[in-house]
Amino acid sequence: MTSTDSTQQPPAKAPAKGPWDLPDVSGLVVGVLGGTGDQGRGLAYRLARAGQKVIIGSRAADRAQSAAAELGLGVEGADNAECARRSDVVIVAVPWEGHAKTLESLREDLAGKLVVDCVNPLGFDKQGAYALQVPEGSAAQQAAALLPDSRVTAAFHHLSAVLLQDESIDEIDTDVMVLGEARADTDLVQALAARIPGMRGVFAGRLRNAHQVESLVANLISANRRYKAHAGLRLTDV
């Protein structure tokens, strides 16, 4: 009969993962739905310039291919469905008015994909920009409801399309607030943001907190109009 050594120690636990211990995303293919619009085109340009493989998606393949040819940097163009199928990560940068319809039509093509929603539901009147009410709570939550087989996150809301597309600017000095349900997914998006020089991805909560992040764009638009600027965000002490 063998006795148990009472002095035996339990196996050591692996050290806790640090908040800035992010994965290597350099080999991922990034699709940008709405990549012919200002924000989508700007994101496609910055990611491609950082060495990421990028595919621009549009309802019309020829429009996407034309925009991709103008950007260069190895960017390809395709219709939205092909863009979704060929990409590992898909950024949704379509106009709010077409958000639900676009995602509904791509549910199967986006199954199993990491989806990054950066759409801001805004209205405009004589008093300026204001946040719209979304039945699901936010654009990101609407995306999650429409794409049950995808991993939906939210990020890239507060970026100036003007700065993103300005080829004379080498660094984009801003933080990107990243929201999602799974740490592995938000870590990937944070790492993707960090590929762009000057940019940093910062975890900012679960998707239920996306409404105020999307709405904050209305405040930034007001500030930018008053000060004739392209203001973004920086979070302090992190």
Side-chain angles (χ1 to χ4, degrees):
M1 189 171 185
T2 305
S3 62
T4 302
D5 184 356
S6 60
T7 63
Q8 185 176 3
Q9 298 296 318
K13 291 183 178 180
K17 184 178 180 182
W20 301 111
D21 183 12
L22 301 174
D24 178 9
V25 295
S26 60
L28 297 181
V29 178
V30 179
V32 184
L33 304 180
T36 58
D38 288 340
Q39 186 182 29
R41 184 186 179 95
L43 282 169
Y45 169 68
R46 288 292 161 180
L47 289 168
R49 181 168 163 172
Q52 209 75 36
K53 174 60 184 175
V54 176
I55 302 173
I56 283 178
S58 176
R59 287 178 296 176
D62 57 343
R63 283 189 63 202
Q65 291 162 358
S66 177
E70 290 176 6
L71 289 178
L73 300 170
V75 177
E76 295 184 42
D79 63 43
N80 282 332
E82 181 182 347
C83 173
R85 289 194 298 268
R86 293 179 56 196
S87 302
D88 302 302
V89 179
V90 180
I91 298 174
V92 181
V94 300
W96 168 242
E97 294 76 15
H99 184 260
K101 185 176 180 181
T102 298
L103 296 185
E104 284 175 340
S105 70
L106 297 173
R107 180 176 298 176
E108 292 185 5
D109 300 300
L110 289 170
K113 306 291 183 176
L114 176 57
V115 174
V116 187
D117 200 297
C118 67
V119 175
N120 302 307
L122 299 178
F124 296 86
D125 60 19
K126 292 181 179 179
Q127 297 182 60
Y130 61 95
L132 298 175
Q133 296 294 321
V134 180
E136 295 86 354
S138 65
Q141 288 169 295
Q142 183 183 86
L146 294 172
L147 303 172
D149 298 319
S150 302
R151 295 136 51 212
V152 176
T153 61
F156 300 116
H157 301 89
H158 307 133
L159 306 180
S160 164
V162 173
L163 297 184
L164 288 174
Q165 295 183 84
D166 189 336
E167 296 182 8
S168 69
I169 295 176
D170 294 325
E171 296 188 3
I172 305 294
D173 182 25
T174 193
D175 285 336
V176 172
M177 299 178 77
V178 181
L179 303 98
E181 300 303 316
R183 177 163 184 173
D185 294 337
T186 56
D187 279 358
L188 280 173
V189 180
Q190 286 180 251
L192 195 63
R195 293 274 288 162
I196 300 173
M199 197 174 290
R200 184 178 65 158
V202 181
F203 175 70
R206 295 178 178 268
L207 287 186
R208 67 181 184 180
N209 293 323
H211 168 70
Q212 56 264 38
V213 173
E214 297 169 1
S215 301
L216 186 57
V217 176
N219 303 89
L220 287 175
I221 290 173
S222 298
N224 286 330
R225 285 181 174 176
R226 173 65 62 88
Y227 299 106
K228 295 180 172 56
H230 302 291
L233 295 179
R234 274 296 189 200
L235 301 179
T236 63
D237 202 33
V238 292

